[in-house]
Amino acid sequence: MTKLRAGLIGTGTIAHSAHLPAMRYLRHDIELVAVADIRAEAAEAAVHEYGAETWYSDYRELLERDDIDFVDICTPEFLHCEQVVAAAKAGKHILCEKPMAASVAEADEMIKAARDAGVMLMIGHSRRFTDRYRNTWAAIAEGQIGNVQLVRENERRPVAMYSALDLNTGYWTPDGERPWIADPEYTRGAALTNAVHEMDLARWFAGSDADSVQAESRIAGENVEVADFLSYTISFKNGAIGAAEIVNNLPRAYPYFHMLEIFGDKGYAKAQDPAQSPYEIWRESGMSFPANFDQLLHIDNAYIREIGWFVRAIQFDAPPPLDPWDARQALALSLAAVKSSESGRRVYLSEMEPDGGAA
Amino acid sequence: MSNEPNLVIAGDNDLASETARHAISAGMADPVYLWRTTDDPLVSQAPVVILADPPERLGFARMALDAGNQVVSLPITDADQQIDDAVTAGRCSLVSRLHGLPTMSRLAADCRSGSYGRRYGVFAAHRIPVNFASELEDALFNLLVYVASLIDSPLVRVSATTSELGGQTTAAWFIIARFADDTIATIEVTAILPDSDQPNGELVVEVTGSDAVLRAEPERQSVMVNGSNGLRKFPWYAEPPEFLLAQALTMLQDKRVESHVSAMRLLQRSGDAAVSDQAVSTLP
């Protein structure tokens, strides 16, 4: 099998915690050629640790190389459209982190650019590649719980979640202090950072597009300027309901927690933490779940499968394992939740279409 | 010793009788007048705890308020100006049957002490078996009142989504409520569990905050039997009268009118939000 040559753009948190380690694991299929980041220190760290040939501070220089087969874009969502379109024009296949973009119009532009250039575009909704969710989906697809009526997904993240990863490098800080992920100039908060996962999964499990969403959000943590708390109820077109409460910045010792409950007319499927945590430690100070976060997001091979299956699809000239349209619809849902929480009213997905739902 | 009752318990059902018996046995309030129907006179000026079945509660409350008594009642859902005024004036408050569960009583007490630090939100879900769908509204109203009792802040906005879940009648409520201090309550009540599940269903209430997360799942306290009938759970809740009565007596002293008003508004406006299919503001 031909080994593919890769370039990675954006050597921040998700690159160091997930994408670069996965590429190293997949070294028989992938050769990391170059990385790009506006932060020299972060890029150099990636070169040093993961063996890329070189690094660039301008991603366009990376795209100019004719020996790169695909790029893995790990930058914030407000950069995705520009970078994906440029990569498509440069003839590179593209794997891009979630959320797909900052707007639905941008997502459409990205899909069109990839189609026009004849390159593959896949958005990295990593949870679709874990056994936790694949087994759930398989149970639904086999009819074991009947017609899906309700998907409930609550997510909890402690304030210490990312510091616990002990990364070589962290989030990009445009002003030198505040990470972009907490800056309203660059992101819309929990709806796009966390809930886009839950919304993608809910849509997948419900087997339907959404009709409307009602949501409330707030800023809960200290020194945060974007909503880190979101509650929403989705009405799907097939009558199913999707609901979630997303809470970040919980006490340091609280475990990463994701409650998944799917009810059908013949039964239900549940995967709950910490009730089903694989490992607990009790001390004088209380209980902790040391393996919880890793088990859920990383050790479960999510990114290895995501990147590995993407590469296989290129090698076999097959469709991407996850159609970008699904990511586009999850993004539309997330943005609809933002709009609902800001306006205090039910928002219909037709309103999120670039043509205002006229089509 | 005076024969003047210290407490009036209203209702003609097992809960009212057992609570009256408990109040006397435990020395919490003795003598107690068990006021069975509104056809009987209200013979005391003592506080009235209304534990009657839902259709009878409004009648008891009106009579008691007309007579000048202080009132604590299980959820009253009828729109009524007299009740509205009494709640606002601190003469009437609403209690939930869930306050009768020891776990939920403890959670409410921990919330009153503010052990979570800065409060972020409250998530509350009560699932019951499909064949108990007729009790859906009662479960909803009790959960709404319970959640409101955890939040000492005025209700600002509420949205509600209902669903038949593939059936013919409403089988699910999804409510999102925003309070003045930015607390967001997410409330779900569904008749969605298999018929074979226990009637009490599954209840979870979680309060998130800067210093602690409080999570209560009372039905986890059960004996599990995996036998010829499959896996069955037999909960061993303590009997409700003790904790329910204690909560009612606490509320008679509790002057946090905001919480009681929020409970009433949540009951009233959730229905409005469901009918209009839009979020409803509760600000004047």
Side-chain angles (χ1 to χ4, degrees):
Chain A
M1 191 62 62
T2 309
K3 204 170 181 176
L4 296 187
R5 291 167 65 84
L8 185 142
I9 301 172
T11 55
T13 301
I14 197 65
H16 275 274
S17 66
H19 288 248
L20 288 166
M23 282 193 187
R24 177 159 59 193
Y25 184 90
L26 295 164
R27 59 190 174 278
H28 297 297
D29 282 305
I30 299 171
E31 181 181 352
L32 181 64
V33 175
V35 299
D37 198 298
I38 57 173
R39 300 168 300 169
E41 189 178 317
E44 283 176 342
V47 168
H48 177 72
E49 189 156 344
Y50 295 97
E53 290 173 13
T54 189
W55 63 273
Y56 303 95
S57 57
D58 186 336
Y59 76 91
R60 283 167 289 208
E61 292 181 64
L62 182 148
L63 292 179
E64 284 171 6
R65 292 180 64 133
D66 57 9
D67 60 346
I68 288 179
D69 298 304
F70 78 92
V71 290
D72 184 358
I73 297 177
C74 298
T75 52
E77 64 263 20
F78 76 93
L79 293 169
H80 286 176
C81 183
E82 172 196 316
Q83 294 174 340
V84 164
V85 170
K89 285 179 178 169
K92 318 296 186 197
H93 298 294
I94 305 149
L95 173 63
C96 179
E97 251 298 320
K98 49 58 60 177
M100 185 172 186
S103 72
V104 176
E106 285 185 357
D108 287 343
E109 191 179 342
M110 292 158 67
I111 292 173
K112 181 176 185 304
R115 189 190 301 130
D116 289 350
V119 298
M120 183 179 296
L121 170 63
M122 187 174 102
I123 308 302
H125 277 278
S126 56
R127 293 188 193 177
R128 287 219 191 191
F129 297 90
T130 67
D131 281 337
R132 180 184 177 98
Y133 301 110
R134 295 187 68 79
N135 290 344
T136 303
W137 185 83
I140 295 168
E142 290 166 5
Q144 293 186 37
I145 65 170
N147 296 312
V148 171
Q149 297 173 328
L150 167 63
V151 180
R152 159 70 65 185
E153 303 165 278
N154 286 2
E155 182 175 281
R156 311 278 182 266
R157 293 188 181 195
V159 71
M161 185 165 166
Y162 285 101
S163 61
L165 287 173
D166 190 23
L167 303 176
N168 289 328
T169 185
Y171 290 110
W172 171 54
T173 53
D175 60 4
E177 291 182 6
R178 183 175 49 181
W180 71 268
I181 204 163
D183 189 334
E185 192 172 334
Y186 299 100
T187 188
R188 309 298 297 273
L192 271 77
T193 51
N194 310 51
V196 72
H197 277 305
E198 275 77 21
M199 289 171 171
D200 174 57
L201 292 170
R203 186 175 162 272
W204 190 31
F205 295 144
S208 172
D209 267 322
D211 177 62
S212 65
V213 62
Q214 285 199 313
E216 290 280 2
S217 68
R218 61 165 295 185
I219 294 173
E222 291 182 317
N223 305 318
V224 180
E225 293 183 44
V226 294
D228 54 357
F229 184 120
L230 176 73
S231 177
Y232 61 81
T233 308
I234 302 169
S235 298
F236 285 100
K237 288 181 178 175
N238 66 356
I241 298 288
E245 187 202 50
I246 312 291
V247 192
N248 293 304
N249 287 310
L250 287 168
R252 187 162 289 272
Y254 196 73
Y256 178 83
F257 170 105
H258 188 244
M259 174 177 112
L260 173 68
E261 298 178 317
I262 303 177
F263 290 88
D265 57 9
K266 291 181 183 170
Y268 57 78
K270 295 186 180 185
Q272 293 185 327
D273 300 283
Q276 296 177 345
S277 173
Y279 184 35
E280 300 169 359
I281 294 177
W282 295 79
R283 293 191 183 89
E284 214 167 7
S285 56
M287 182 169 60
S288 62
F289 306 88
N292 186 264
F293 173 70
D294 288 346
Q295 290 280 347
L296 275 176
L297 293 184
H298 294 273
I299 292 178
D300 188 24
N301 296 338
Y303 291 92
I304 292 171
R305 281 187 185 154
E306 175 189 303
I307 298 172
W309 293 3
F310 170 78
V311 165
R312 275 285 180 275
I314 296 172
Q315 290 168 329
F316 284 96
D317 195 20
L322 182 56
D323 193 305
W325 184 259
D326 289 314
R328 186 252 196 212
Q329 296 301 80
L331 172 69
L333 251 175
S334 296
L335 293 170
V338 171
K339 188 170 184 175
S340 175
S341 63
E342 289 176 349
S343 65
R345 67 173 179 85
R346 179 182 294 275
V347 170
Y348 293 86
L349 270 292
S350 56
E351 299 175 46
M352 306 311 296
E353 293 300 313
D355 63 1
Chain B
M1 183 176 167
S2 167
N3 281 329
E4 175 66 21
N6 290 317
L7 187 69
V8 178
I9 293 180
D12 188 15
N13 54 28
D14 289 347
L15 179 63
S17 307
E18 288 171 17
T19 304
R21 190 177 306 120
H22 176 79
I24 296 167
S25 303
M28 296 170 81
D30 187 15
V32 171
Y33 172 45
L34 184 56
W35 185 22
R36 290 189 182 279
T37 80
T38 49
D39 292 335
D40 295 337
L42 175 57
V43 297
S44 170
Q45 288 296 303
V48 177
V49 177
I50 300 173
L51 303 179
D53 295 336
E56 299 161 6
R57 293 173 194 161
L58 180 61
F60 278 115
R62 277 179 169 169
M63 273 185 72
L65 291 168
D66 283 343
N69 297 51
Q70 183 88 0
V71 170
V72 175
S73 176
L74 287 172
I76 298 172
T77 55
D78 314 74
D80 185 274
Q81 191 59 48
Q82 185 183 8
I83 302 298
D84 205 296
D85 293 343
V87 171
T88 307
R91 291 186 55 219
C92 177
S93 50
L94 301 178
V95 69
S96 164
R97 280 194 77 141
L98 299 179
H99 285 113
L101 299 175
T103 309
M104 310 310 288
S105 174
R106 174 59 189 265
L107 175 65
D110 286 344
C111 283
R112 277 196 296 275
S113 72
S115 61
Y116 41 68
R118 279 182 302 105
R119 184 176 52 232
Y120 295 172
V122 177
F123 170 71
H126 194 173
R127 280 79 180 259
I128 59 176
V130 171
N131 54 340
F132 281 83
S134 61
E135 297 183 15
L136 187 78
E137 284 204 343
D138 191 47
L140 172 70
F141 298 146
N142 278 285
L143 190 59
L144 291 177
V145 169
Y146 180 80
V147 167
S149 77
L150 306 179
I151 303 169
D152 49 354
S153 181
L155 181 69
V156 171
R157 189 163 66 200
V158 59
S159 65
T161 300
T162 58
S163 170
E164 290 84 22
L165 298 179
Q168 301 296 315
T169 58
T170 298
W173 284 77
F174 303 89
I175 293 169
I176 305 175
R178 185 179 200 100
F179 292 79
D181 68 350
D182 275 346
T183 299
I184 295 172
T186 305
I187 301 161
E188 175 199 320
V189 178
T190 46
I192 203 166
L193 297 177
D195 291 350
S196 56
D197 270 30
Q198 55 171 320
N200 286 338
E202 298 176 353
L203 173 66
V204 57
V205 176
E206 189 178 51
V207 183
T208 50
S210 59
D211 296 349
V213 175
L214 315 178
R215 183 178 173 86
E217 290 181 79
E219 84 279 359
R220 289 172 97 178
Q221 192 174 42
S222 61
V223 176
M224 286 195 282
V225 177
N226 198 347
S228 54
N229 294 322
L231 181 63
R232 300 181 68 189
K233 290 201 300 187
F234 298 90
W236 42 287
Y237 301 146
E239 289 296 311
E242 179 183 353
F243 292 91
L244 185 60
L245 184 59
Q247 175 69 19
L249 295 176
T250 300
M251 293 179 101
L252 287 169
Q253 309 298 325
D254 186 357
K255 298 306 175 194
R256 298 181 312 157
V257 175
E258 290 293 5
S259 178
H260 306 318
V261 173
S262 287
M264 185 177 60
R265 296 271 180 268
L266 198 49
L267 286 174
Q268 296 167 343
R269 306 316 295 270
S270 295
D272 297 342
V275 170
S276 68
D277 205 26
Q278 279 294 357
V280 174
S281 171
T282 61
L283 293 175

